[in-house]
Amino acid sequence: RLESLRGPFLSSPRALVEPRACGRVSKHACYADVVLLGGPMEQETMALGDVTDQDLIARLRRLVRADRTLSARMLVHLGEMDARGLYRECACASMFAYCVQELHMSEAEAYLRIQAARLGRQFPLIVQLFAKGLLHLTAIKLLGPHLTADNHVP
């Protein structure tokens, strides 16, 4: 059954591929990029059965740290792309449309990340605290209306 899902467009499974400008690739290639049939993720999931409890906890902590760091870097990139208006080069009317249509974020994810990216450009400490896990996207959303140049610690 899995083989039939792969189709001719997915000759070798992969989790990440080199993105193309504005995501303009064929639908089949796009779907191939996100399907993880028999690829590294499946192998990792199966291999976890042999991992000790302590090692699993340590690995999960490392992954969470790496995820936070990567997410903070993504906020910085989203903020810069938004500031430059580069979403227009991809025929998107707004940064929100770009995130939903081109980056395939949910509407809620796009809203929270764009808001956090914009606040992070104004108040860089937000991105640092986010990267350390001391703030999450919802907290940034809630803090946003209350932040001013006067009450922000540089």
Side-chain angles (χ1 to χ4, degrees):
R1 185 176 187 289
L2 291 179
E3 200 61 53
S4 67
L5 291 175
R6 288 181 195 218
F9 57 86
L10 186 60
S11 57
S12 64
R14 59 191 186 270
L16 298 172
V17 297
E18 189 68 28
R20 297 201 179 145
C22 300
R24 303 287 186 226
V25 295
S26 72
K27 245 186 180 179
H28 292 299
C30 176
Y31 292 136
D33 295 347
V34 295
V35 175
L36 299 171
L37 302 174
M41 187 60 69
E42 183 178 284
Q43 293 166 3
E44 174 143 348
T45 302
M46 293 178 144
L48 287 178
D50 298 330
V51 175
T52 67
D53 292 351
Q54 296 295 341
D55 196 29
L56 181 61
I57 291 168
R59 286 181 182 194
L60 182 58
R61 289 180 190 270
R62 280 193 305 272
L63 287 169
V64 169
R65 279 193 306 272
D67 179 59
R68 286 183 180 140
T69 300
L70 186 58
S71 291
R73 292 177 63 194
M74 182 173 54
L75 288 184
V76 172
H77 282 74
L78 282 175
E80 185 64 24
M81 186 156 181
D82 185 31
R84 293 183 189 188
L86 295 178
Y87 52 85
R88 285 181 237 131
E89 290 186 19
C90 296
C92 292
S94 65
M95 190 63 189
F96 179 80
Y98 176 79
C99 288
V100 172
Q101 295 167 10
E102 298 294 331
L103 300 180
H104 307 288
M105 292 182 183
S106 70
E107 291 182 356
E109 179 185 12
Y111 172 78
L112 289 172
R113 291 187 184 277
I114 292 166
Q115 190 173 26
R118 289 175 178 166
L119 282 169
R121 284 183 64 81
Q122 280 184 277
F123 309 107
L125 182 60
I126 286 176
V127 177
Q128 294 170 19
L129 294 174
F130 180 72
K132 292 177 183 176
L134 299 173
L135 279 180
H136 48 74
L137 292 173
T138 302
I140 295 170
K141 178 186 91 166
L142 295 171
L143 283 171
H146 306 286
L147 291 175
T148 66
D150 294 332
N151 67 16
H152 177 70
V153 179

